[in-house]
Amino acid sequence: MDKGSPENKLPGKSRKFDIGLVLSGGAARGFAHLGVFKALRERNIRPGIVSGVSAGAIAGAFYCDGFEPEEVLDLFSNTKIFRFLKIEFNKLGLLNISGLRKVLKNNLRTRNIEDLPRPLFIAVTDLMEGTTSYLEKGDLVNAIIASSSIPVIFKPVVIDGHTYIDGGIKDNLPIEPVRDLCDDLIGVHVNPVGGYNPGKGMIYLALRSFHLSVASGIPQKIKNLSCFIEPAGLTEFSYYDIEKRNKMFDLGYNEAIKILARTEFKSQVNKTGFAK
């Protein structure tokens, strides 16, 4: 690996955390992340640092900004799908993500990543360099939108002269920035690969093709985790089934409860996750 690539320029953190949380992408399946948050809260496990990509960056931002999972679920329950994804045929992308940008901007309390109550890393892919960057500073909403910009479906996002697209292309379970900062890592993968339904249309096909490509590296990453949560039932939902968010929330919750019950953390005495 080139030592000058962004993968080797991981932000330096001197603090040590008991528990960190890593959240994958998965489009609308990201509602399962919120169910996992609920299960963690019930077991008094509050990860002190988060790394997320795409849907995981969205969920992670709300968590790090102090929102409870039910608050976020209610927020998106009052937002219709067509306010999120506006059809806009142009040479850079099929859909306009301005609806999601508006929801984030109007509801997140913190403007910049570095000002969040809990630290957050947001994985993005540098389109020109073909490398992964983990953003820890700068405009929070811009970083989330960049991390969620699936190629062809959404336009790339330019930040500080760099053109970014969905971080899941290179790293759909972004362990790297937090791996050495925590005693224990919880990884949540909401993109299990299921069967293909040819009747769901062109956008579903493009999203499925993308998510198939990003799922291949997950088995190796699991070895770095103390706890891995992957709700298998999510294969029944498409990547834009926002109207089924409550069912996906419950799937995440139930799977997390099951996995956490049999997980022993190194930091069992202090499970708050905050820095020592």
Side-chain angles (χ1 to χ4, degrees):
M1 186 184 296
D2 180 0
K3 292 184 179 180
S5 68
E7 284 92 337
N8 287 280
K9 296 179 180 177
L10 300 180
K13 287 277 191 295
S14 59
R15 292 182 292 173
K16 184 74 173 181
F17 296 85
D18 289 324
I19 298 177
L21 183 63
V22 183
L23 305 172
S24 81
R29 293 174 175 179
F31 284 106
H33 285 314
L34 303 179
V36 173
F37 295 168
K38 178 182 177 182
L40 291 171
R41 183 186 65 199
E42 289 183 0
R43 294 187 65 85
N44 194 32
I45 299 172
R46 295 275 188 170
I49 188 168
V50 179
S51 178
V53 61
S54 196
I58 297 172
F62 279 103
Y63 170 81
C64 291
D65 205 23
F67 286 78
E68 295 297 338
E70 295 86 356
E71 289 183 87
V72 185
L73 186 64
D74 288 344
L75 168 64
F76 284 96
S77 294
N78 294 324
T79 306
K80 300 297 183 180
I81 178 64
F82 294 111
R83 290 175 59 189
F84 269 84
L85 306 177
K86 176 183 176 184
I87 298 293
E88 184 179 85
F89 292 95
N90 56 61
K91 64 181 181 180
L92 294 178
L94 294 176
L95 299 176
N96 186 320
I97 204 168
S98 61
L100 176 58
R101 179 184 290 277
K102 184 177 180 180
V103 171
L104 297 173
K105 190 172 183 179
N106 288 347
N107 291 280
L108 285 168
R109 301 160 183 148
T110 304
R111 179 176 178 180
N112 293 317
I113 304 171
E114 65 269 27
D115 295 327
L116 287 164
R118 289 182 174 89
L120 172 68
F121 292 97
I122 297 177
V124 293
T125 301
D126 189 311
L127 182 59
M128 301 305 174
E129 298 293 332
T131 52
T132 303
S133 292
Y134 304 99
L135 305 180
E136 62 163 335
K137 295 180 180 179
D139 187 279
L140 176 59
V141 172
N142 280 344
I144 294 171
I145 296 299
S147 183
S148 306
S149 293
I150 300 172
V152 181
I153 302 296
F154 300 118
K155 295 179 183 179
V157 176
V158 178
I159 300 175
D160 295 332
H162 294 271
T163 302
Y164 293 124
I165 53 177
D166 196 299
I169 292 175
K170 296 281 292 182
D171 192 354
N172 200 41
L173 196 63
I175 291 171
E176 289 301 318
V178 294
R179 182 175 57 187
D180 297 328
L181 302 178
C182 309
D183 290 334
D184 291 291
L185 271 182
I186 299 171
V188 186
H189 186 243
V190 297
N191 187 37
V193 177
Y196 170 57
N197 184 345
K200 290 191 175 181
M202 182 183 68
I203 293 177
Y204 172 80
L205 173 60
L207 286 168
R208 177 175 172 79
S209 299
F210 169 74
H211 282 106
L212 282 174
S213 71
V214 304
S216 59
I218 300 302
Q220 282 297 113
K221 290 179 174 289
I222 295 174
K223 299 175 183 178
N224 296 292
L225 301 172
S226 304
C227 176
F228 179 66
I229 301 168
E230 183 184 59
L234 290 174
T235 57
E236 300 177 10
F237 303 93
S238 78
Y239 302 113
Y240 47 88
D241 269 344
I242 292 180
E243 69 279 5
K244 298 177 182 177
R245 55 193 167 268
N246 291 310
K247 292 182 178 180
M248 290 185 277
F249 180 99
D250 291 341
L251 276 174
Y253 172 78
N254 291 329
E255 184 68 11
I257 287 292
K258 181 174 67 175
I259 298 299
L260 292 170
R262 60 175 187 251
T263 300
E264 291 188 10
F265 294 103
K266 298 174 185 176
S267 47
Q268 282 288 355
V269 176
N270 175 18
K271 295 188 293 184
T272 61
F274 286 103
K276 296 177 180 176

